[in-house]
Amino acid sequence: CELGLLFCLFVFVLFFVLFGRGCMSYIFPASYAWGNFSVLAVGIWAIVQRDSLDAITMFLTGLLLTVLTDIIHISVFYPPNKYLTDTKRFSTGMAIFSLLLKPVSCYLVYRMYQERGGE
């Protein structure tokens, strides 16, 4: 069970660091930040209540939904090349990297869901 907790902490920290860097240049609207912060809050709940199947289910559902919303945000709000500064390029790169790692995070959270008794 400790391995599941370490996976959950790893997913949470990785998600927090990459998402935080994606928000630092204000390229994306507030809905990007609010959606991802909400999933982070549910991730804290999933870490704290180790026996709760509801918490890990909501965390997994939130991660899957943020994959979809991140694709929409990045594709719609990606700035034209003449407006890209180094900070905006870095911030967008971190948002894209976060999006690319979310399926791995979803897999790890799904494994934790199965450990907690999910089907």
Side-chain angles (χ1 to χ4, degrees):
C1 189
E2 290 300 319
L3 188 60
L5 179 63
L6 289 175
F7 278 149
C8 196
L9 284 172
F10 173 74
V11 168
F12 178 78
V13 169
L14 182 71
F15 185 62
F16 179 74
V17 168
L18 292 176
F19 156 67
R21 298 300 140 235
C23 288
M24 75 181 202
S25 69
Y26 304 107
I27 292 176
F28 305 115
S31 60
Y32 176 79
W34 278 104
N36 283 298
F37 274 131
S38 300
V39 172
L40 282 174
V42 174
I44 292 172
W45 178 33
I47 290 171
V48 171
Q49 288 192 347
R50 296 183 197 176
D51 58 341
S52 174
L53 192 60
D54 293 338
I56 200 71
T57 304
M58 287 183 65
F59 188 40
L60 180 60
T61 305
L63 277 174
L64 291 171
L65 286 175
T66 58
V67 168
L68 178 66
T69 58
D70 286 358
I71 290 170
I72 293 169
H73 282 115
I74 291 170
S75 62
V76 170
F77 293 102
Y78 191 81
N81 198 20
K82 62 182 177 179
Y83 296 113
L84 275 176
T85 62
D86 290 338
T87 306
K88 288 182 181 180
R89 190 173 287 121
F90 176 77
S91 177
T92 306
M94 290 296 106
I96 291 170
F97 190 55
S98 172
L99 176 62
L100 291 174
L101 288 178
K102 277 188 185 177
V104 175
S105 300
C106 288
Y107 174 73
L108 293 174
V109 172
Y110 179 71
R111 293 291 306 253
M112 288 177 27
Y113 169 75
Q114 288 177 332
E115 286 178 9
R116 292 185 185 187
E119 299 167 2

